[in-house]
Amino acid sequence: MMSRKGRGKALVAQELMAHIPDLVLHASKKVKTLPVVQHLEGVLMFLDISGFTALCEEFNKRNLGVDALTKSLNDYLGHIEDAILKRDGDIIEFAGDAVLVVWQSNEDTAREAVAKAVRCARQIQKQCHNWKTDVGVLLGVKVAISHGPISVSFVGNANSQHFSTSGQAVEDANSTEKLCEKGSIVLNSEAWKLCPEKKGVITDKLDDDHYKIMALKKSWAEKELYRDDTKLKKKKSTTSKTLSREPPVRSFSVKAAQKVNMRPYIATPVLRKVDENQPLEYLCEMREVSILFINLHLESGYEHLHSLQNVFDRVEASVLQFQGLINKIFEFDKGTSFLVLFGLPGFKHEDEISHALQCAAQIRKNVNALVEVKQVSIGVTTGKVFCGVVGHPERHEYTVIGPKVNMAARLMMNYPSMVSCDSHTKRHSKFDGNYFKELPEVSLKGVADTGKIYEYQEISGSQTFRITESKYPMLGYVEDFLECINMIEVVIAKRLSSKPTPKFIILEGDSGVGKTRFLRALMDVSLKNSMRVVCTQSSIGTMTTPYHTICSLLTEILRLGNITQAQEKERHLQDRFRNTHLMKYLSLLNNLLGIQLPANPAVRDLKTEDRSQALHSLLGQVVRETRKKSEVGTLIAIDDAHYIDSDSWTYLKDLVGDTTLIAFIVGPQSRDKWSEDVQKIMADPQTRKAQLKGLDPSCMEPLLCQLLEVARVPRELTNMLTAHLKGRLNPSWVKQCVFNLLHHNQLEIVTRGRRPECVVTPGVRLMELQIPDSLRGCMIAFIDRLPEVERVAVKIASIIGTAFTDEDLCHLMHHTSPDKVRKTIGELLSAGVLMFENGLIRFQSLTLQETAYTLLVEKLRRKLHERYALYLERKYLEVDKIRKKKKSKQQKSKTGSKKSGNFGNQQ
């Protein structure tokens, strides 16, 4: 693959600078530390596009695809932004249906800046008022123009930096926009004062502070903008230019941009594509994401800049913890707002909806704790949106567009001081109903069907975690399971053996392959053999809480789960250990359990290092001492152990012993983040690792019978699922698929005699059905976890079909070197994504291939199909030529032989 250096710094800089305003690029050369604010004077133009929500909904309703929507959007925005860029406007913020533009000015240039803004606004209205789209929806724009002081605040850190605009000009633009109607241009009094030759501008005075422009006299435009027009004539139109050519309409040069560190301002998905030399069009796709719109009111008595930085620090900490991404910070429309996204390319996760809600609750709690914050309101929605680069070729941004984005913004404004969410988010969050409270219905502007709205509330207090018992035997993984049972038997028989006992069982695998079911089966075997079982679960929400997991385990081991008061816990422990040698050491547990037992002199006089060693020793003894006489050992089961806090890992090894075994589950993406303590556990010879890769296809029928709780399933169903899910079966994917079919009445459960059966609904042909979205979500998460080049390779390979050669893929991935492509194929074979069969490379799963195909927008699919078709045409024409040439040689050879034979006969 060609490196960034090989492509040239200028091209990389040009790709990056298109995502950043000139104002920010100029300021970035001077910014050394954050936060910092830049104060300037200027003319501000606030454009609000109307009809955009209706356009998205109409395209959705007609199922016209993302390409058609993107084309309509970029056709409209392209005209608007082209007019702005040609008149030296700097697009500083772009938020889907709102654009903020600035013309910096001083006392000498203010009049000219106002004239440019007015001329620009007038051209936009002439070209874009009542713009009729392909689906008949009319788009329009209203324009507010103000003049005054503007503050640009820069906040963030070395890795992530954002900017926002505020100040009197922004406030005036907001208030002016409220007086605008579709197709109108309104100036505030400061802008109107600076407007030159007022006789040439026909206005309607709305009040003492606002003027609506009705028309411009030709003489005014020619006189005041003659120099500007002359300059424009020298510039060529840029609407059709590509990113590979230097933009002539930006005031900031590519050469200067190479000296600026632009990366912290640009979204991670964009950076990954640029770094891998992949076209940005690969980012354009329709995918389900969760959207957080956060709105907050800041107290005026505090310095705004530092208040914004404090808020950013807390928001970013939570967003990183829950694996989301801050997309934008706004201060020009609804006060101070953050747009946070979950599920973008490279950030997809099966639990992203739960993560989004937990993140929202944590942000609200942490940001509310700041004295400078009066109120925090968060709207959360989930749905399919367009993700991609939108705007002008020379000034665009990576964003998300769709009705669900608008709905999240409406929720945060209409349900203040809470975390509100839509019904889709609630239904797919994996939280039970106790976490949600139905809210009164409110009419949301621009949202046709709101559905039920809920408040998400985290449940406080101690909650005991349990892995649900299963009614049916575990399927598959026989060899791994027998080995783990043998380990349990060794622990039980320790009293009769001097062999070293196992310490840890680690279950690894992708989400949904059956890790939790495997752990439950181990718990059942342990209970049947008179072992005590202690169970807990870690979560991403507690990952940064010191000692959370070890505290949860101690609470279960000491049977303190139903005791909430610290004094009651103290009495319980004193009664339990009163006559044991551990009594004098119990005060070592004070910090872990939140209690205040008096310290024994023997403990009080210990040095820090000795105290730590004593605590480590105490934990193992507590496990042994709290076991009932009838219990022969202890199994500690931990679900989602990849979320265990780092402090707890240091104590886990102290819990194991001759009769104690720990079994825990780790997810697919955790290995590269393991601490030294985890790596020691993994490398311990007394640790058994079970890699669960899914069930054998022969388990499909019994798996379906278990999931549906029926005695029989139709062969058509097993055939359809087996066709889509080739290779190892992921039980979670099968479950989501079959329950989706039930939900849409494509399957039915009937009772024949005493035995329930599953049947296909009359008139339904399962083999003709599309893959359900829930199954696609799992597949998208799997694709997103792949490294960038592998992810692109999977998408491009999906164009070819279910089977292909390495030569085919090398041709389509022409931006990447053949050696890199072949290495990538090897990685995908190792990961189980692809397989070799009959001399071809094949997708292990038809569903994966189809899902990867749908992630490509239609325009890109068409382009790749054309490239592949031309490649096949050339390839087989050459083969045909070679065949014909070979045949011709053979014929000539035969002819020559005949002549030679005839000559011989004549002789």
Side-chain angles (χ1 to χ4, degrees), residues 39-67:
H39 298 291
L40 55 102
E41 290 277 333
V43 176
L44 205 64
M45 184 165 74
F46 180 16
L47 301 101
D48 186 30
I49 300 170
S50 58
F52 180 64
T53 301
L55 177 68
C56 292
E57 289 178 345
E58 188 64 27
F59 270 88
N60 232 5
K61 191 190 303 179
R62 297 193 189 188
N63 197 26
L64 293 176
V66 63
D67 294 290

Side-chain angles (χ1 to χ4, degrees), residues 777-790:
C778 292
M779 289 293 186
I780 291 170
F782 176 78
I783 293 170
D784 276 357
R785 282 200 299 270
L786 296 171
E788 183 68 27
V789 179
E790 292 176 31

Side-chain angles (χ1 to χ4, degrees), residues 463 465 504 534-557 592-593 619 636-653 655 662-665 681:
Q463 296 180 62
F465 171 74
F504 296 96
V534 177
C535 184
T536 192
Q537 181 187 40
S538 301
S539 72
I540 193 170
T542 60
M543 195 174 180
T544 57
T545 305
Y547 307 105
H548 180 271
T549 300
I550 195 67
C551 291
S552 299
L553 287 173
L554 280 175
T555 299
E556 288 294 299
I557 290 167
L592 291 178
L593 297 176
L619 294 177
I636 296 175
I638 307 175
D639 201 357
D640 289 338
H642 42 275
Y643 293 136
I644 292 177
D645 60 279
S646 57
D647 297 292
S648 291
W649 279 114
T650 62
Y651 289 101
L652 278 184
K653 59 183 180 297
L655 300 179
I662 296 180
F664 59 80
I665 291 170
I681 290 174

Side-chain angles (χ1 to χ4, degrees), residues 640-758:
D640 289 338
H642 42 275
Y643 293 136
I644 292 177
D645 60 279
S646 57
D647 297 292
S648 291
W649 279 114
T650 62
Y651 289 101
L652 278 184
K653 59 183 180 297
D654 300 312
L655 300 179
V656 297
D658 291 342
T659 56
T660 304
L661 178 66
I662 296 180
F664 59 80
I665 291 170
V666 292
Q669 69 273 45
S670 49
R671 187 181 289 272
D672 58 339
K673 300 177 183 177
W674 283 338
S675 65
E676 186 178 344
D677 292 298
V678 190
Q679 291 173 8
K680 286 180 180 178
I681 290 174
M682 296 294 288
D684 194 311
Q686 292 168 273
T687 295
R688 165 71 170 90
K689 295 186 282 291
Q691 186 73 41
L692 308 185
K693 296 184 178 180
L695 301 179
D696 188 88
S698 61
C699 294
M700 176 66 85
E701 189 170 348
L703 174 62
L704 289 170
C705 288
Q706 285 192 7
L707 292 173
L708 297 171
E709 298 190 87
V710 295
R712 186 180 300 167
V713 293
R715 179 61 60 87
E716 186 182 352
L717 176 61
T718 57
N719 289 343
M720 186 271 282
L721 292 176
T722 303
H724 280 295
L725 301 172
K726 288 182 179 178
R728 309 295 291 186
L729 301 180
N730 184 305
S732 177
W733 296 351
V734 175
K735 179 180 178 180
Q736 291 191 58
C737 191
V738 76
F739 276 85
N740 186 281
L741 294 173
L742 275 175
H743 178 73
H744 289 93
N745 299 317
Q746 290 152 345
L747 293 176
E748 296 177 355
I749 306 297
V750 299
T751 302
R752 292 175 179 168
R754 295 184 178 180
R755 306 176 69 186
E757 294 182 9
C758 175

Side-chain angles (χ1 to χ4, degrees), residues 136-195:
V137 174
L138 291 179
L139 297 179
V141 63
K142 46 187 178 180
V143 183
I145 299 174
S146 66
H147 176 272
I150 303 168
S151 299
V152 183
S153 301
F154 296 85
V155 296
N157 49 50
N159 299 316
S160 177
Q161 294 174 18
H162 294 263
F163 61 91
S164 65
T165 52
S166 59
Q168 190 60 52
V170 177
E171 293 176 16
D172 290 344
N174 283 331
S175 59
T176 302
E177 185 271 335
K178 290 178 173 60
L179 299 175
C180 292
E181 298 173 346
K182 184 177 177 180
S184 66
I185 304 168
V186 179
L187 278 65
N188 81 325
S189 58
E190 293 300 316
W192 176 245
K193 286 176 186 175
L194 291 168
C195 190

Side-chain angles (χ1 to χ4, degrees), residues 203-215:
T203 64
D204 179 16
K205 187 176 181 182
L206 302 180
D207 56 33
D208 290 340
D209 296 319
H210 299 94
Y211 298 80
K212 179 179 178 180
I213 292 181
M214 306 303 292

